[in-house]
Amino acid sequence: MKNFNGKVLFLDRSDINTDEIIPAKYLTENSKEALKPYLLEDLKLEGFNVENDIADKEVIVTRENFGCGSSREHAPWALEVNDINIVLAENFARIFRQNMFNCGMMAVQLDRDTIDKIFTTFKGKETVVKTDFQNSQFTFTSNGQSMDISFEISSYDKSLVEAGGWVDYADTNYS
Amino acid sequence: MGKTIAQKIFDAHLVDKPSDDINVIKLDAVFCHEITTPIAINDLKKRGKNRVFDKRKIKAVIDHVTPSKDSKTAEQARIMREWAREHDIKDFFDIGENGVCHALFPEKGFVRPGYTIIMGDSHTCTHGAFGAFAAGVGTTDLEVGILNGVCAFKTPDTLKVELTGKMKKGVYAKDIILHVISQLGVNGATDNVIEFTGSVISSLSMEERMTLCNMAIEAGGTCGICPPDQVTVDYLWPFISGDFSSKKEALTEYSRWQSDSDAVFSKTLTIDISGLEPVTTFGFKPDQVKPLSEMKEVKIDQVYIGSCTNGRIEDLRAASAVLKGEKLHPSVRGILAPATPDIYKEAIKEGIIEIFMEAGFCVTNPTCGACLGMSNGVLANGEVCASTTNRNFNGRMGKGGMVHLMSPASAAASGLTGYLTDPKAYIK
Ligand code: SF4
């Protein structure tokens, strides 16, 4: 299983699309690693500095409809090669969400109040998330302050994360 | 309880339910292009699974950047070519025969009512125009599609968009879908199939239905879908005439892909389009839409006519009806990319290409080109484009560029005046 713990990158905006996550001009790359320098290159967001804000982050917290737009799996890959394997949001675009789980990564939906609470409590502070996958719980910590948040993913999504993705799962079950 | 078209298609293709709301369905076709497929091919090879589930059901094209523009895109094309050859994929379209996937594959008769189709491309929803379930997927789903001919989807809810009334002069399918997206919002249809019904739909051509379904994804929809009818049968007849004794028989067969009268929809949106004006987008999201007549004078640098949304023959006809005998404004560059070779040839035959060229347009080969900012018309920082494509995301057509989405007639009219323009007064 991949790592789902680490420092949080807060992206306080809805509808962040796949062109913002990884611009189309990099789709000519044939390896995931090559995408690494370009993550979120075109994202325009107040207070977000693409040069400094990504390097040590491993978890993204954002608002609604994250990953809308193109079907490119380069979006999860660009996250993955930057050691970000998990995104928490109010909701996701379908293809992006499926791509995340298909790669053994997590796109976890939390309700609006919970996302609001996370932003008001932690945004702007150095925050760390610990994920207890078996018990479906996140622990947010910052400066002695901490918050437990439980989450739900389907048993199917769980098995994709555990299997490390959909290719092996499908080829075992449906060939 | 009745069922929707999408539910009926799922029922007919169900292979497994690994959990309550997940359906693994059998695929009738897997479409491939050179941007998302090479990584899938490489990964399958790495896993020692270099197989295809059924070479006749795989359809492949090089369309996004063609002819290749640099070593990297040449490499993507090479991987596709060699793979198609290795697996003896007959329906593979390379230079000379290639065109934008969502225009080319329907034209070849690869889509049928009731089909299930995936492709590593978000605008795969286009093919729902034929009453099929067609969805864009990522590379991993594509890989499994190629390998095992299956894909997993949540049980689809269906959102019904009922269109009534009559289109005014200057209003096209593009204006309708932009208006629908503005009503739904960019995630208003997430995890839903959008079923288009109502009196307007039966009066639309297959080309117009494809324009509608093409942009379902811009509201987050998994697929757009139009119930198959006589228009569908007429379009498909050259491909299906061997399977049915008459068009009537084909229509009867395809009519099972209709939503039941007591089917349950997640939401119904009824829109009378009679009052609709020609519209455009004004921001970086496709749901930011307003009438062209309400736009302050917005100067443009480029007009782009093409793409899987509006690069078909009817689109070229609509634009040429505006351009005939006119010249582009001196500060505007015009680019026309007919979506397929057949469309290109037809446009030559009808004198449309000449009208575009006389107006000052550059006519490119069929390709996605500038639509995704990869070639053939990338914008410079600060430049503005009136475009018939489907995405106005920041940076889509080039870093720092601004894209305004609209119909081909509106784009053509804007090219003549040099600023975003309502086409009504310019249609001859
Ligand atoms: S024309 Fe544009 S939207 Fe359509 S398939 Fe090509 S890149 Fe995608």
Side-chain angles (χ1 to χ4, degrees):
Chain A
M1 250 178 25
K2 292 187 158 40
N3 169 50
F4 302 116
N5 308 309
K7 277 197 208 163
V8 181
L9 171 61
F10 290 99
L11 299 177
D12 196 356
R13 212 198 81 194
S14 291
D15 304 321
I16 291 176
N17 64 57
T18 48
D19 276 79
E20 290 170 310
I21 299 171
I22 184 79
K25 63 178 179 228
Y26 302 119
L27 302 187
T28 58
E29 301 295 346
N30 283 320
S31 87
K32 296 183 186 181
E33 269 307 315
L35 304 173
K36 190 167 178 181
Y38 312 121
L39 178 66
L40 296 172
E41 189 182 84
D42 278 346
L43 179 66
K44 277 196 188 149
L45 180 61
E46 222 182 273
F48 172 71
N49 179 330
V50 73
E51 312 271 308
N52 308 323
D53 292 354
I54 295 174
D56 56 346
K57 305 298 193 308
E58 290 170 302
V59 177
I60 286 177
V61 176
T62 183
R63 296 282 181 178
E64 280 190 77
N65 199 29
F66 188 79
C68 58
S70 121
S71 64
R72 66 190 65 153
E73 204 156 307
H74 305 67
W77 296 334
L79 295 171
E80 187 184 7
V81 295
N82 279 283
D83 299 320
I84 298 170
N85 295 314
I86 179 164
V87 181
L88 315 184
E90 239 181 274
N91 49 52
F92 295 89
R94 176 191 64 88
I95 304 175
F96 177 83
R97 187 187 162 285
Q98 192 62 52
N99 286 344
M100 288 286 281
F101 285 103
N102 281 348
C103 293
M105 299 161 77
M106 290 217 281
V108 182
Q109 201 165 325
L110 298 172
D111 61 50
R112 172 167 295 186
D113 290 347
T114 308
I115 290 284
D116 271 347
K117 210 162 75 186
I118 297 172
F119 271 106
T120 38
T121 318
F122 296 106
K123 189 187 159 186
K125 301 176 191 158
E126 193 167 295
T127 305
V128 171
V129 167
K130 235 179 125 346
T131 303
D132 182 344
F133 184 76
Q134 292 316 328
N135 297 310
S136 301
Q137 181 163 301
F138 299 124
T139 306
F140 280 70
T141 323
S142 172
N143 252 339
Q145 203 173 6
S146 109
M147 189 191 284
D148 288 337
I149 289 162
S150 53
F151 65 90
E152 263 178 62
I153 57 173
S154 72
S155 59
Y156 171 68
D157 289 337
K158 237 177 182 157
S159 52
L160 290 180
V161 173
E162 282 165 343
W166 164 235
V167 178
D168 287 332
Y169 182 102
D171 203 29
T172 309
N173 290 293
Y174 309 116
S175 65
Chain B
M1 200 171 68
K3 292 187 165 157
T4 61
I5 304 177
Q7 283 165 343
K8 291 182 186 182
I9 296 176
F10 268 52
D11 287 353
H13 291 80
L14 191 67
V15 173
D16 187 22
K17 267 183 163 301
S19 77
D20 265 3
D21 61 335
I22 303 292
N23 308 267
V24 175
I25 57 170
K26 189 161 64 70
L27 299 171
D28 294 309
V30 176
F31 293 165
C32 302
H33 67 55
E34 90 283 13
I35 298 291
T36 49
T37 317
I39 300 196
I41 295 168
N42 285 346
D43 192 64
L44 285 171
K45 285 185 181 160
K46 210 168 76 195
R47 291 172 189 267
K49 298 179 194 284
N50 184 16
R51 317 189 303 264
V52 301
F53 82 109
D54 185 339
K55 63 180 184 183
R56 291 160 310 167
K57 293 183 179 168
I58 294 183
K59 317 287 179 186
V61 65
I62 296 173
D63 65 348
H64 274 56
V65 188
T66 182
S68 304
K69 70 179 168 110
D70 55 17
S71 318
K72 283 185 175 163
T73 50
E75 177 65 14
Q76 291 179 311
R78 188 183 63 80
I79 295 172
M80 284 288 282
R81 257 175 222 129
E82 289 182 354
W83 174 76
R85 219 171 281 146
E86 182 185 354
H87 294 284
D88 193 27
I89 293 164
K90 293 278 188 318
D91 292 317
F92 168 60
F93 301 90
D94 204 339
I95 290 194
E97 297 182 303
N98 59 0
V100 178
C101 49
H102 309 307
L104 185 74
F105 292 152
E107 194 183 274
K108 297 286 175 195
F110 295 158
V111 188
R112 303 290 159 77
Y115 264 26
T116 51
I117 300 169
I118 62 164
M119 180 174 199
D121 191 285
S122 59
H123 294 101
T124 308
C125 50
T126 311
H127 308 283
F130 291 82
F133 174 82
V137 296
T139 296
T140 305
D141 275 336
L142 178 69
E143 238 176 283
V144 171
I146 290 170
L147 189 61
N148 303 119
V150 296
C151 195
F153 289 97
K154 273 195 184 164
T155 306
D157 286 329
T158 298
L159 188 158
K160 180 155 88 171
V161 174
E162 199 165 3
L163 300 167
T164 62
K166 271 216 155 58
M167 282 188 266
K168 273 195 219 164
K169 183 182 171 189
V171 173
Y172 300 85
K174 182 64 159 287
D175 299 291
I176 298 177
I177 188 62
L178 285 171
H179 179 69
V180 168
I181 294 163
S182 76
Q183 300 298 297
L184 291 173
V186 287
N187 66 344
T190 301
D191 283 324
N192 273 253
V193 168
I194 304 178
E195 186 174 324
F196 296 99
T197 63
S199 57
V200 174
I201 299 302
S202 27
S203 71
L204 295 183
S205 68
M206 286 314 297
E207 283 80 0
E208 292 171 301
R209 293 178 196 189
M210 285 190 254
T211 302
L212 285 186
C213 291
N214 176 269
M215 292 191 74
I217 183 70
E218 307 312 331
T222 305
C223 181
I225 218 166
C226 297
D229 59 9
Q230 189 64 47
V231 177
T232 322
V233 171
D234 290 343
Y235 183 100
L236 287 174
W237 189 244
F239 311 105
I240 60 174
S241 54
D243 305 339
F244 298 101
S245 61
S246 66
K247 284 189 177 179
K248 199 164 157 240
E249 189 191 324
L251 184 61
T252 311
E253 161 65 19
Y254 291 154
S255 294
R256 60 194 180 109
W257 307 114
Q258 303 283 343
S259 292
D260 295 326
S261 55
D262 56 344
V264 178
F265 295 93
S266 60
K267 190 175 164 182
T268 299
L269 190 68
T270 306
I271 299 175
D272 180 353
I273 57 157
S274 308
L276 193 63
E277 294 287 327
V279 293
T280 182
T281 56
F282 58 86
F284 291 129
K285 294 199 302 169
D287 62 355
Q288 296 171 295
V289 173
K290 64 177 166 189
L292 275 153
S293 57
E294 286 174 24
M295 294 292 285
K296 281 198 284 290
E297 195 171 299
V298 179
K299 281 220 171 72
I300 61 166
D301 302 287
Q302 178 167 299
V303 174
Y304 187 79
I305 296 179
S307 88
C308 59
T309 321
N310 283 124
R312 299 188 180 82
I313 191 68
E314 290 184 0
D315 302 314
L316 274 50
R317 285 183 192 134
S320 71
V322 170
L323 295 172
K324 192 166 186 181
E326 307 287 342
K327 294 262 181 246
L328 282 172
H329 188 272
S331 67
V332 177
R333 315 182 288 270
I335 299 170
L336 166 67
T340 71
D342 281 355
I343 294 167
Y344 201 152
K345 280 187 273 184
E346 180 62 24
I348 291 174
K349 224 168 69 191
E350 294 182 20
I352 290 171
I353 297 296
E354 195 176 339
I355 293 172
F356 270 93
M357 293 185 79
E358 286 300 323
F361 270 76
C362 154
V363 184
T364 81
N365 64 301
T367 178
C368 295
C371 171
L372 78 168
M374 286 183 82
S375 63
N376 281 1
V378 178
L379 300 175
N381 192 18
E383 286 189 331
V384 178
C385 184
S387 177
T388 69
T389 54
N390 48 35
R391 288 212 165 120
N392 54 342
F393 296 166
N394 184 21
R396 172 78 178 179
M397 222 179 234
K399 203 174 178 127
M402 181 69 178
V403 177
H404 294 277
L405 306 175
M406 63 191 75
S407 76
S410 300
S414 303
L416 299 183
T417 60
Y419 58 90
L420 299 185
T421 301
D422 184 314
K424 280 197 294 285
Y426 297 86
I427 299 168
K428 295 179 192 81

